Amino acid sequence: MTASSAADRIAELRAEIDRHNYRYYVLDDPEVPDAEYDRLFRDLQALEHQYPELLDAASPTQRVGGKALDRFAPVRHRVPMLSIRTETDIGPGGARAFDAQVRRELGLGEADPPVEYAGELKFDGLAISLRYEGGRLVQAATRGDGETGEDVTQNARTIRAIPLRLRGAAPEVLEVRGEVYMSRADFERYNARQRAAGSPPLTNPRNGAAGSIRQLDPSVTATRPLSFFAYGVGEIKGWDAPATHAEMVRALVDWGLPVSRERALARGAEGLSAFHQAIAAKRDSLPFDIDGVVYKVNRLDWQRQLGFRTREPRWAVAHKYPAQEELTVVEAIEVQVGRTGAITPVARLKPVFVGGVTVTNATLHNADEIARKDVRVGDTVQVRRAGDVIPEVVGVVLERRPPDARPFAMPKTCPVCGSPIARPEGEAVARCAGGWQCRAQRKEAIRHFASRRALDIEGLGDKVIEQLVERERVRDPADLFSLDAAAVAELERMGAKSASKLIDALERAKSTSLARLLYALGIRGVGESTASTLAEHFGALDALMVAEPSRLQQIPDVGPVAAAAIQAFFSEPLNQKLIARLRAAGVVWSEAAQPRTADRSLAGKTVVLTGGLESLSRDEATARLRALGAKVAGSVSKKTDYVVAGRDAGSKLDKARELGVTVLDEAGLLSVLAGQALSR
Ligand code: IVH
């Protein structure tokens, strides 16, 4: 390749990678799989390595690289970064008060139409200002005191959602104002990795974002999964501003800046209240933390007319939601035993209202975490509950520690079965060695075996399992099938009628599929999707039971750890006996030699089903989609290709629309199953 054709190819690769970043971070609609993106990236790196004279700071390969700093240089904001007034009345009264004040200050009368507002989320991260000159990112600064912030350019460059170059015709100068944040999933994943490595986790996504952007060493920031949303502008030169905030935000999107889709125009106080309520209802299902909503007068001329009062604009207000972190007292620390024997310490709390619910227990994860946070019985702690994540103790208020606060000691033996508790070298989790001997593990295993996605035994709830295991009626899942109606009817809160219903359900559950059975067995590392891949590849249980780890690892989704766990499970004589007893009890599963059909038209596609279907059951739909090669997932993400929305589809459908995922109705699903190709 000549130097000039290398320059062309480099420009082409940069443009293509920038475009994929835009589709991923701004449109939420990636066009190519990660592997393809990685390939382009490596090609570009190789060429740049070969032609170092063609390097450019705005190249997508140049995100990390700066040296660690001694301190951050101060940055004077040319347009100050203001804060927003917080309205304390979170009911409709608060919206009315704000709207009334805006109307009064604009001199509007009763006859004038309602004021239009831009409703946005109030992101819970750290404010940042990004300065683009000639379309290139030249500086990033924190808010600081609003007048002077800190230069965090090197760190901001590591955030892939922040473009290094703007798209299209960019103004001469553009300062973008927005929020650096960490999504809840990224926060959880990062912390899980930290805990597994015995390293300190982040306290909450907000601190995660704020702390990461203020790291002196940009290579540390680069390891933190940060994201960014734009919500406004500072200085602009060389651009005719539009008439409204909404149009200005739209221009940001076109320049390649990520803006949350959860924004809407609202008319008058009623519109504001409706927006507030709509967002409150979906707060838990948003992928990131918010602490409220922000209302902004949409007309920019009116914003200028309203102006500022001290450091707050008169044209914007924040409306908060109940806090997702509160203080309460640890009354006891107990341990729970999970299905695989994992011992989880749990704090019993003085009831506290947080994140919209009353919380009485919070996980403490493991012994290292307790030691690191130094949580003691009697301590006042900060409790966090955000989204559907289980409540968590994030820290101790040491000033409030009573003199008699007791440190926690991990018990040496299982509180349920008395077996030793051991913590394998290098692992964070301690486990009860009791296995099937431990009632807690038995209960959890049976609960899992009977769960909807496993053998789906209707009527076998926690209370029933509890009694069956306590009375030694059921020692393992196979025992379930030898229960008779009379024995079941003896249980508390069980009449003859519900007993016979349960027996019927057990009878029905006996005919199942290999995939469900594999999932039901609760082998470590074998979730629903791996179970169905295994079933598909092996066809028959006997073949899987003798498979070597090397053979298992050839299957997608099965890594060395899962392969070893599968082999260990089936080599265990007790498990072999369990399977023999299930067979003897009449449990049958379809063992089509190869359920794969020739038609793999959905290979590589991920489908999510939501809502009720009329002409087929959800399980049937799942099985048929899988037979065509699709992966059927439980939740909607950027990786989802199709969402099938049946009757009363709920939040998954909303999510699909939000992410721009193709939505099919039942008729669409049927035509796909009938072999009609889909076009995206
Ligand atoms: S606009 C002139 N919009 O809230 C108004 N701020 O008190 C300037 N924030 O830390 C701010 N979400 O980072 C605006 N949609 C949003 C926001 C937002 C979060 C933060 C901002 C700052 C604080 C302002």
Side-chain angles (χ1 to χ4, degrees):
M1 196 179 288
T2 64
S4 92
S5 64
D8 288 348
R9 180 66 187 139
I10 283 177
E12 208 174 276
L13 284 167
R14 285 179 186 157
E16 195 167 348
I17 292 170
D18 283 349
R19 190 166 56 84
H20 290 315
N21 274 340
Y22 173 70
R23 294 202 57 129
Y24 187 88
Y25 291 107
V26 182
L27 302 186
D28 243 332
D29 180 23
E31 195 177 71
V32 294
D34 293 356
E36 167 70 7
Y37 179 92
D38 295 344
R39 195 181 59 73
L40 295 169
F41 201 86
R42 280 194 304 270
D43 286 357
L44 176 59
Q45 272 176 325
L47 270 177
E48 286 177 341
H49 185 73
Q50 207 181 336
Y51 297 94
E53 67 277 17
L54 298 176
L55 261 179
D56 179 326
S59 170
T61 60
Q62 303 303 301
R63 287 196 173 270
V64 197
K67 286 206 196 67
L69 306 172
D70 299 331
R71 54 170 209 116
F72 294 112
V75 173
R76 207 169 161 77
H77 298 299
R78 279 165 246 215
V79 175
M81 289 180 78
L82 302 161
S83 55
I84 316 178
R85 178 162 63 89
T86 300
E87 172 59 56
T88 42
D89 175 0
I90 62 164
R96 271 200 299 272
F98 173 60
D99 181 55
Q101 187 197 331
V102 165
R103 294 184 70 90
R104 194 168 53 244
E105 284 169 358
L106 287 173
L108 299 178
E110 300 242 327
D112 290 305
V115 172
E116 192 173 60
Y117 297 96
E120 293 178 353
L121 303 182
K122 186 160 191 319
F123 309 105
D124 203 6
L126 185 79
I128 195 166
S129 180
L130 305 173
R131 187 173 173 91
Y132 290 87
E133 286 176 6
R136 294 161 70 102
L137 178 66
V138 294
Q139 189 172 62
T142 60
R143 186 163 81 131
D145 62 6
E147 300 290 332
T148 307
E150 291 177 318
D151 186 332
V152 291
T153 313
Q154 296 203 75
N155 291 344
R157 289 177 62 92
T158 69
I159 302 173
R160 292 225 265 163
I162 294 180
L164 300 178
R165 276 200 301 195
L166 297 179
R167 296 168 58 81
E172 191 187 320
V173 173
L174 171 67
E175 267 180 23
V176 179
R177 301 278 162 89
E179 196 92 348
V180 169
Y181 70 96
M182 196 179 281
S183 79
R184 288 203 276 256
D186 281 335
F187 167 77
E188 296 293 331
R189 258 196 302 271
Y190 180 85
N191 275 358
R193 271 207 311 273
Q194 289 289 100
R195 284 192 193 100
S199 309
L202 302 167
T203 310
N204 55 38
R206 206 202 84 80
N207 288 1
S212 303
I213 208 71
R214 298 199 61 258
Q215 287 289 327
L216 287 165
D217 183 353
S219 66
V220 174
T221 311
T223 67
R224 307 281 172 84
L226 299 175
S227 303
F228 171 77
F229 276 135
Y231 54 62
V233 296
E235 189 181 26
I236 307 195
K237 274 195 211 154
W239 188 58
D240 291 328
T244 63
H245 178 80
E247 288 165 285
M248 193 262 297
V249 163
R250 181 70 231 172
L252 293 179
V253 171
D254 292 339
W255 283 322
L257 290 150
V259 175
S260 166
R261 273 164 215 266
E262 300 295 343
R263 60 184 199 270
L265 288 178
R267 283 163 62 83
E270 255 119 82
L272 292 178
S273 280
F275 180 75
H276 183 258
Q277 274 168 35
I279 298 295
K282 52 168 103 158
R283 183 187 191 190
D284 273 1
S285 60
L286 291 172
F288 43 79
D289 281 4
I290 57 169
D291 54 4
V293 288
V294 177
Y295 312 139
K296 300 173 179 173
V297 170
N298 195 33
R299 272 177 60 169
L300 296 178
D301 58 342
W302 279 356
Q303 286 191 6
R304 282 187 289 273
Q305 192 180 326
L306 287 161
F308 303 91
R309 187 187 47 204
T310 56
R311 327 192 107 247
E312 296 166 349
R314 285 199 187 82
W315 44 265
V317 73
H319 230 152
K320 293 240 189 175
Y321 293 128
Q324 289 176 318
E325 284 187 12
E326 289 291 355
L327 296 182
T328 188
V329 173
V330 176
E331 295 182 327
I333 299 177
E334 291 168 8
V335 299
Q336 265 173 6
V337 188
R339 178 161 60 83
T340 58
I343 303 282
T344 309
V346 177
R348 306 286 175 215
L349 305 170
K350 187 161 179 249
V352 61
F353 190 72
V354 47
V357 299
T358 300
V359 167
T360 52
N361 301 310
T363 181
L364 290 161
H365 297 287
N366 57 50
D368 285 353
E369 278 284 294
I370 299 186
R372 199 183 57 76
K373 290 175 188 155
D374 188 19
V375 180
R376 303 185 185 185
V377 176
D379 270 339
T380 295
V381 291
Q382 214 171 334
V383 176
R384 168 178 161 83
R385 183 201 167 268
D388 307 325
V389 180
I390 35 177
E392 197 187 16
V393 168
V394 296
V396 175
V397 185
L398 283 176
E399 303 77 59
R400 296 210 203 158
R401 169 169 290 169
D404 60 343
R406 276 170 295 126
F408 169 79
M410 182 60 95
K412 297 268 181 297
T413 56
C414 172
V416 177
C417 72
S419 302
I421 288 179
R423 184 171 157 192
E425 230 355 85
E427 280 189 29
V429 176
R431 284 176 205 276
C432 156
W436 283 106
Q437 305 308 313
C438 179
R439 282 183 187 179
Q441 292 190 52
R442 255 187 266 162
K443 283 177 201 165
E444 290 303 316
I446 289 164
R447 193 213 307 252
H448 175 75
F449 185 84
S451 64
R452 208 166 55 78
R453 292 161 182 285
L455 259 66
D456 191 16
I457 306 172
E458 234 176 283
L460 193 65
D462 289 357
K463 291 266 154 31
V464 181
I465 294 173
E466 176 83 34
Q467 297 181 62
L468 289 171
V469 172
E470 286 302 326
R471 297 176 187 205
E472 303 263 323
R473 280 276 176 194
V474 170
R475 262 170 241 99
D476 70 17
D479 286 342
L480 289 169
F481 299 103
S482 56
L483 288 173
D484 57 35
V488 175
E490 278 175 18
L491 303 178
E492 278 162 36
R493 287 193 260 176
M494 262 285 174
K497 201 162 156 201
S498 32
S500 96
K501 267 198 181 156
L502 177 56
I503 298 297
D504 288 349
L506 281 162
E507 205 51 46
R508 277 197 307 276
K510 281 184 186 171
S511 47
T512 184
S513 66
L514 179 54
R516 276 179 177 268
L517 179 78
L518 287 175
Y519 172 65
L521 290 174
I523 306 166
R524 255 212 243 173
V526 180
E528 222 190 340
S529 144
T530 307
S532 104
T533 325
L534 286 170
E536 198 186 308
H537 276 77
F538 285 91
L541 183 59
D542 291 333
L544 173 63
M545 286 178 76
V546 297
E548 293 292 328
S550 57
R551 166 85 182 85
L552 289 163
Q553 276 193 61
Q554 287 165 7
I555 289 159
D557 277 4
V558 180
V561 177
I566 295 166
Q567 197 206 23
F569 183 91
F570 290 115
S571 334
E572 165 61 49
L574 276 176
N575 293 332
Q576 293 168 359
K577 226 162 102 189
L578 169 68
I579 287 161
R581 290 179 52 238
L582 286 170
R583 280 186 159 129
V587 177
V588 289
W589 50 91
S590 44
E591 291 209 335
Q594 268 305 335
R596 282 181 177 215
T597 49
D599 179 2
R600 305 282 296 164
S601 53
L602 293 179
K605 299 285 186 217
T606 301
V607 183
V608 173
L609 298 169
T610 177
L613 300 168
E614 307 285 339
S615 50
L616 71 176
S617 74
R618 192 186 273 230
D619 290 339
E620 218 178 312
T622 303
R624 291 179 61 187
L625 285 164
R626 286 198 175 131
L628 293 173
K631 181 173 168 191
V632 180
S635 60
V636 180
S637 74
K638 287 180 193 163
K639 299 218 169 79
T640 310
D641 294 285
Y642 307 108
V643 167
V644 176
R647 210 176 340 104
D648 299 328
S651 64
K652 289 182 192 170
L653 176 57
D654 295 340
K655 184 83 189 282
R657 294 211 169 111
E658 176 193 321
L659 294 179
V661 174
T662 306
V663 176
L664 301 175
D665 59 8
E666 184 162 348
L669 170 69
L670 293 175
S671 55
V672 171
L673 293 176
Q676 259 123 16
L678 267 176
S679 58
R680 267 237 267 173

